[in-house]
Amino acid sequence: MAEQAELTRPDTCKSIQTINPATGQPGRSYEEHSIGQAHTVAAAAQAAFRQWRRTGFTERTAIFHKAAEILRGRQDEFARLMTEEMGKTLDDGRAEVEKCAFHCDWFADHAAGYLRDEPADIGGGEAFVTFNPIGVVLAVMPWNFPFWQVFRAAAPALMAGNGMLLKHASNVPGCALAIEEVLHEAGVPKDLFRTLLLPSSDVEALIKDDNVAAVTLTGSVPAGRSVATAAGSVLKKCVLELGGADAYIVLEDADVPAAAQLAAKARMVNGGQSCIAGKRFIVVGPILERFEQALVEAMRGYEMGDPTKEGTKLGPMQSVKARDQIHKQVEQSVTLGARLLLGGEVPERPGAWYPATVLGDVRRGQPAHDEEVFGPVAAIIAAEDEADAIRIANDSEFGLGSGVLTSDLDRGRRIAARELEAGMSFVNENVRSDPRTPFGGVKHSGYGRECGAFGIREFVNIKTVHVKALEHVSGTQIE
């Protein structure tokens, strides 16, 4: 494999300063790369890809099993790093690292099967479909699951024979470099996967680099539009996983206490900072008041606490700016008629803290109904009946995840499978990603899929091959 491209940082490079969200105190600082350095890295990645694509699944499998082993061995270290950079609780950080390890193991064991040649019958000779890697994929990743989002994209892409460049969120540079270290230690060629500490303003130029074949983004709707526009201008494939305002329909036959507990769990994933966290709870009339009371009690259990302590259920938000945006959405919703049932006040303490919050009487026109609230705020919306609940759930620009809470499994199955406009619909469970099933959304939640067979095939050339013996063709030869 090619030697790692050596980069000399120009004197004009800016510094990235991390901030501990729990305390507001500065952490480590890192030097940004320049766009010139990024182009150098992209060229080296393309050279490494040309060799990597010739490796077999046996070699790649061993590398990703090794990556899983390294992740598990350094689980506490990486969990602490996430806590320091973006405020994730230590317990959640450990769980995230284990999920990354499982993901690496899964694609190590199943990539070859997902990409096995598929025979086809086209009426003569031999025909089959084969799956070839397409090149270097640029991954533009967010801060909220700083390890999982990257490994979710990297494991299938590299197992398929591609290369990858990582442009991570600017507040988690330590996580970005740690991921690079894990993969290199596991045996991924140095230039095949590289972390680039770049500002968002340089992403377009990197997408248009001839050495970049495709781009995958997890981020906001505006970021998705920007990446899609840049990729489209040079006819490059992109996969977009964008925002979500996941709706959970709570039907009148649901067990109210159990439904409220599950709703709180769904809302409070990662402190509410998750695209697939439950955000809108649409409750059919007869149980509305009981559900409101039960959800308030369930959400009370998520007390703010030191994210480095075992058992803490709610740490800080990722930044004061993000916290202030959440609070603004809550205040505007209340001004427009929502009822504040729990929380909703900024605590007087340093850091990016916000309490578990519940809003009732949420309606169209309020931010809690129309927008993605990326924090620990649950919105309760009243519905007249099942049909009205489905209408409200689908009345959103987003379509990532969705849920149905009911005691009638056939009813829940029907609504989830046929009625809800979302990439994922879970019955009596909170929505989550899993390497074994496709993950992604519709509408403004993006397009394309990650995970499973559908995910690994996003960044391959799906090629038809037809093989037939050459037959003599009779006829008059024209000189």
Side-chain angles (χ1 to χ4, degrees):
M1 297 296 174
E3 293 296 323
Q4 183 174 12
E6 294 298 328
L7 299 179
T8 301
R9 297 182 186 275
D11 294 336
T12 55
C13 274
K14 296 180 180 178
S15 178
I16 301 172
Q17 178 66 64
T18 62
I19 301 293
N20 187 322
T23 65
Q25 295 300 307
R28 288 187 60 186
S29 62
Y30 300 81
E31 294 300 315
E32 279 187 350
H33 293 108
S34 69
I35 188 59
Q37 291 172 318
H39 289 310
T40 298
V41 168
Q46 173 65 17
F49 156 70
R50 286 196 291 268
Q51 297 182 61
W52 176 253
R53 67 176 300 170
R54 305 292 179 190
T55 61
F57 283 109
T58 300
E59 179 179 343
R60 298 176 204 164
T61 292
I63 288 172
F64 273 89
H65 279 315
K66 179 64 175 178
E69 179 184 322
I70 295 168
L71 285 164
R72 292 188 174 104
R74 300 174 67 180
Q75 187 176 36
D76 287 347
E77 173 192 348
F78 294 148
R80 285 193 300 272
L81 181 57
M82 286 185 265
T83 300
E84 292 167 1
E85 291 196 329
M86 50 71 60
K88 191 182 295 288
T89 67
L90 207 57
D91 290 345
D92 283 352
R94 291 191 185 111
E96 181 169 334
V97 175
E98 171 55 35
K99 186 170 185 175
C100 292
F102 177 76
H103 186 75
C104 288
D105 281 336
W106 181 264
F107 277 96
D109 291 336
H110 293 86
Y114 288 151
L115 300 178
R116 183 178 295 118
D117 289 352
E118 293 186 358
D121 183 359
I122 60 174
E126 174 196 9
F128 61 93
V129 179
T130 192
F131 305 94
N132 300 158
I134 60 172
V136 178
V137 180
L138 171 62
V140 184
M141 293 288 113
W143 52 264
N144 57 333
F145 292 92
F147 273 70
W148 168 240
Q149 304 278 16
V150 178
F151 277 97
R152 193 170 76 193
L158 296 174
M159 280 299 302
N162 296 303
M164 179 165 282
L165 303 177
L166 170 61
K167 187 280 183 230
H168 217 326
S170 60
N171 61 330
V172 289
C175 293
L177 292 169
I179 291 166
E180 179 185 77
E181 183 181 334
V182 169
L183 292 174
H184 289 174
E185 184 181 342
V188 172
K190 301 294 186 182
D191 282 327
L192 190 74
F193 181 95
R194 292 293 299 273
T195 285
L196 292 167
L197 303 182
L198 292 170
S200 296
S201 56
D202 285 341
V203 169
E204 180 177 353
L206 197 52
I207 290 172
K208 293 180 178 181
D209 188 303
D210 288 341
N211 293 300
V212 171
V215 58
T216 181
L217 164 82
T218 298
S220 67
V221 173
R225 289 195 182 102
S226 176
V227 164
T229 299
S233 72
V234 285
L235 298 179
K236 293 182 181 179
K237 174 74 177 286
C238 64
V239 168
L240 305 177
E241 193 269 278
L242 309 178
D246 287 14
Y248 281 57
I249 292 175
V250 187
L251 294 171
E252 73 282 353
D253 61 6
D255 178 322
V256 172
Q261 289 291 331
L262 191 147
K265 179 181 177 183
R267 173 63 277 200
M268 299 300 284
V269 171
N270 200 40
Q273 300 171 118
S274 171
C275 296
I276 54 170
K279 298 183 177 77
R280 297 179 296 139
F281 300 96
I282 303 165
V283 187
V284 174
I287 64 167
L288 177 61
E289 185 174 347
R290 285 190 293 139
F291 181 82
E292 283 184 347
Q293 295 170 352
L295 183 58
V296 166
E297 288 308 307
M299 292 282 280
R300 282 190 203 278
Y302 289 83
E303 294 184 3
M304 294 179 291
D306 184 344
T308 66
K309 295 296 178 75
E310 304 282 348
T312 296
K313 298 183 73 174
L314 178 59
M317 303 296 94
Q318 64 101 358
S319 70
V320 170
K321 180 179 179 181
R323 188 273 313 278
D324 290 346
Q325 171 61 22
I326 294 162
H327 186 55
K328 180 180 178 182
Q329 290 172 303
V330 169
E331 288 188 316
Q332 289 179 340
S333 296
V334 171
T335 298
L336 292 169
R339 284 185 297 126
L340 183 62
L341 304 178
L342 179 70
E345 296 183 359
V346 177
E348 294 183 4
R349 58 190 292 186
W353 298 92
Y354 202 71
T357 299
V358 181
L359 295 174
D361 289 346
V362 173
R363 298 182 176 86
R364 186 165 184 77
Q366 300 170 2
H369 182 287
D370 299 346
E371 301 173 7
E372 180 177 30
V373 182
F374 216 63
V377 180
I380 301 175
I381 304 169
E384 295 177 0
D385 52 25
E386 175 190 307
D388 190 40
I390 293 169
R391 178 191 64 77
I392 294 168
N394 292 334
D395 183 22
S396 172
E397 68 174 297
F398 299 108
L400 191 55
S402 59
V404 185
L405 307 183
T406 176
S407 61
D408 185 337
L409 297 188
D410 288 336
R411 185 184 188 190
R413 183 183 296 107
R414 170 182 56 79
I415 294 171
R418 304 298 176 200
E419 301 292 345
L420 294 177
E421 298 169 358
M424 297 158 287
S425 292
F426 286 30
V427 179
N428 297 328
E429 266 284 11
N430 60 303
V431 178
R432 59 190 180 275
S433 56
D434 190 292
R436 295 164 289 195
T437 55
F439 178 88
V442 296
K443 300 195 281 190
H444 285 179
S445 290
Y447 50 75
R449 292 294 179 264
E450 296 179 285
C451 299
F454 293 96
I456 199 170
R457 291 181 179 183
E458 287 285 2
F459 295 120
V460 295
N461 175 16
I462 304 173
K463 180 192 293 185
T464 297
V465 179
H466 187 206
V467 182
K468 189 177 181 181
L470 188 62
E471 297 177 358
H472 177 73
V473 179
S474 60
T476 304
Q477 180 175 353
I478 299 176
E479 294 292 339

